[in-house]
Amino acid sequence: MNIDEILNKEEFSRADIIYLLSLSNQEEKDKLAAKAYEVKKQYIGNIVYFRGLIEYSNICDKDCLYCGIRKENDKVDRYVVSDEEVLEAAKFAYENKYGSIVIQSGELETENFINKIDNLIKKIKELSNGELGITLSCGEQTEEVYKRWFESGAHRYLLRIESSNKRLYEIIHPIDPLHNFERRLDCLKSLRRVGFQVGTGVMIGLPFQSVGDLADDLLFLKAMDVDMVGMGPYIEHEDTPLYQFKDKLMPKTERLNLALRMIAVLRIMMKDINIASATALQAIDGVGREKGIKLGANIIMPNLTPTKYREGYQLYEDKPCMDEEAADCMNCLEARIHLAGDKIGYGEWGDSKHFDGRK
């Protein structure tokens, strides 16, 4: 195969994607990186949007085999951020022109949880005069709940599939009605029907995962016509069942580089979607998120969670920025983004251009 011919194609085949994800020659890697950034500049611009992240609660009904806050992990101190603290974080985001926030939590479908999220959406809209964009990442819900949250003011939703391969999905989740592959897909379709900008994503470097699986993941994202993607390297957590397979994993640096190539290839495949430069990249490499930006990502999520709770929201090991105050995190990321050659879209929602085009 010839990389120049592949990169000039309008559509990538599965074989093309496998070739690009498997690059080992530095000159070819550089060509992929240059093409991805060129596409990003043409369709998105050299601009990065902030999503102030509030890790609302680590209480979860799910038992995903890779996750540090899975229900059966009794070593976790469970917490819920108070309404006052959520609103204080949202106020910080609004006053510092973040444009948007993300409310992320463990997965619950209780009436109390649904009501609390709904009330917070309304209060955040009120304190920001409707100006602060709201993304939710609160797991599987009924279409009625999604509709309620959308009507209250949330407009983007991230629900990661983690693997689009059902066989692999069932390796990394318990096989029971609560962890059902088809329901996950149905929820993504519900979000689209309701009107959300829909995001999903996958983990890269899982045990038992092949490069072919990852190529299929990228083709899945394109076939689903998603508006935004959050994906990053799988990082093991010792208090999870999947940790027993740690010896089968590729080294973390290889997982990082594979994740970066996934970002680059996806940017070329889906030119105008939003792609997050995940915190997990920085967990492996101190400048991992900047590398993601240089390879086509255009979203960064500074952590606004009060520092006293962050220890409790470790989905994986070595999570960065655990004790960094919101203002310090903002200043650090601003410097990092400028060093990467991009600028920050302050005060903008930074909605997916792909979603706008579909409208």
Side-chain angles (χ1 to χ4, degrees):
M1 287 188 173
N2 181 295
I3 189 166
D4 295 310
E5 290 178 7
I6 293 172
L7 293 177
N8 284 321
K9 286 184 176 182
E10 286 299 316
E11 298 282 339
F12 291 157
S13 68
R14 185 175 188 270
D16 293 335
I17 297 170
I18 290 173
Y19 182 85
L20 293 172
L21 294 179
S22 304
L23 293 177
S24 57
N25 177 282
Q26 189 59 49
E27 184 182 350
E28 292 189 326
K29 289 180 184 176
D30 291 344
K31 285 183 176 181
L32 173 63
K35 178 68 174 181
Y37 194 69
E38 174 192 321
V39 169
K40 174 184 158 182
K41 277 190 17 178
Q42 182 179 348
Y43 288 86
I44 304 290
N46 64 331
I47 189 162
V48 174
Y49 298 104
F50 274 176
R51 307 274 188 261
L53 177 63
I54 303 169
E55 295 162 333
Y56 173 64
S57 173
N58 65 355
I59 300 171
C60 191
D61 270 344
K62 293 289 190 79
D63 253 329
C64 305
L65 305 182
Y66 51 82
C67 184
I69 64 167
R70 62 193 303 267
K71 185 178 182 180
E72 292 302 314
N73 184 6
D74 58 10
K75 296 181 181 178
V76 176
D77 290 326
R78 304 292 172 173
Y79 74 84
V80 179
V81 179
S82 72
D83 286 8
E84 292 73 22
E85 289 168 317
V86 171
L87 296 175
E88 190 62 33
K91 185 178 178 211
F92 176 90
Y94 178 55
E95 291 177 346
N96 286 279
K97 301 190 183 309
Y98 274 33
S100 292
I101 60 165
V102 179
I103 298 176
Q104 185 181 70
S105 74
E107 296 198 33
L108 293 173
E109 295 186 63
T110 63
E111 186 175 351
N112 181 57
F113 176 78
I114 291 163
N115 289 339
K116 289 191 82 171
I117 295 296
D118 192 54
N119 289 331
L120 284 170
I121 295 167
K122 291 172 180 172
K123 288 177 180 176
I124 290 165
K125 282 295 178 183
E126 184 179 350
L127 77 81
S128 68
N129 301 311
E131 294 175 24
L132 203 56
I134 301 175
T135 302
L136 297 179
S137 183
C138 298
E140 296 170 7
Q141 305 289 339
T142 65
E143 189 163 322
E144 290 71 28
V145 170
Y146 289 147
K147 189 168 188 251
R148 180 178 169 192
W149 288 346
F150 181 77
E151 290 175 348
S152 291
H155 70 290
R156 291 186 292 249
Y157 203 103
L158 177 66
L159 183 68
R160 287 177 38 149
I161 191 78
E162 305 301 6
S163 175
S164 64
N165 181 318
K166 185 178 179 184
R167 172 195 60 83
L168 186 53
Y169 188 93
E170 291 178 347
I171 288 174
I172 64 175
H173 296 89
I175 301 175
D176 61 30
L178 196 60
H179 304 80
N180 183 276
F181 181 74
E182 280 74 23
R183 191 192 176 201
R184 200 79 171 176
L185 291 177
D186 286 344
C187 284
L188 288 169
K189 293 170 186 173
S190 290
L191 289 163
R192 171 62 51 75
R193 283 193 296 269
V194 165
F196 276 102
Q197 293 177 41
V198 179
T200 191
V202 296
M203 284 187 291
I204 298 149
L206 286 162
F208 313 109
Q209 185 184 56
S210 69
V211 177
D213 291 328
L214 292 170
D216 291 334
D217 285 337
L218 294 180
L219 290 168
F220 165 83
L221 296 172
K222 188 167 178 63
M224 287 288 292
D225 199 31
V226 294
D227 304 302
M228 54 190 194
V229 170
M231 60 183 177
Y234 165 66
I235 302 175
E236 63 273 26
H237 191 298
E238 64 178 355
D239 297 324
T240 63
L242 213 59
Y243 191 73
Q244 65 184 300
F245 301 113
K246 65 183 184 300
D247 295 335
K248 296 185 181 296
L249 298 171
M250 65 180 73
K252 284 183 180 178
T253 51
E254 288 185 29
R255 280 177 260 166
L256 169 74
N257 290 328
L258 189 52
L260 292 169
R261 288 197 292 277
M262 286 278 284
I263 290 173
V265 175
L266 181 62
R267 172 56 70 201
I268 299 167
M269 291 174 65
M270 302 189 73
K271 297 174 172 49
D272 57 355
I273 66 168
N274 281 345
I275 303 176
S277 194
T279 306
L281 297 169
Q282 191 178 329
I284 297 177
D285 183 333
V287 291
R289 284 196 280 189
E290 294 94 301
K291 289 180 177 180
I293 290 166
K294 291 298 287 182
L295 284 160
N298 68 314
I299 301 294
I300 288 274
M301 295 189 288
N303 200 333
L304 300 183
T305 312
T307 52
K308 65 182 178 182
Y309 298 116
R310 292 189 199 176
E311 192 75 28
Y313 207 88
Q314 292 196 68
L315 310 186
Y316 51 82
E317 295 178 341
D318 302 322
K319 184 177 175 183
C321 307
M322 294 293 289
D323 56 358
E324 200 171 56
E325 294 295 339
D328 297 327
C329 186
M330 179 183 72
N331 293 334
C332 174
L333 283 174
E334 185 173 48
R336 287 168 177 263
I337 289 164
H338 287 153
L339 283 171
D342 281 17
K343 59 185 179 181
I344 300 163
Y346 280 119
E348 300 179 53
W349 281 11
D351 280 344
S352 167
K353 294 184 186 301
H354 191 72
F355 178 80
D356 290 341
R358 187 189 299 108
K359 284 193 301 185

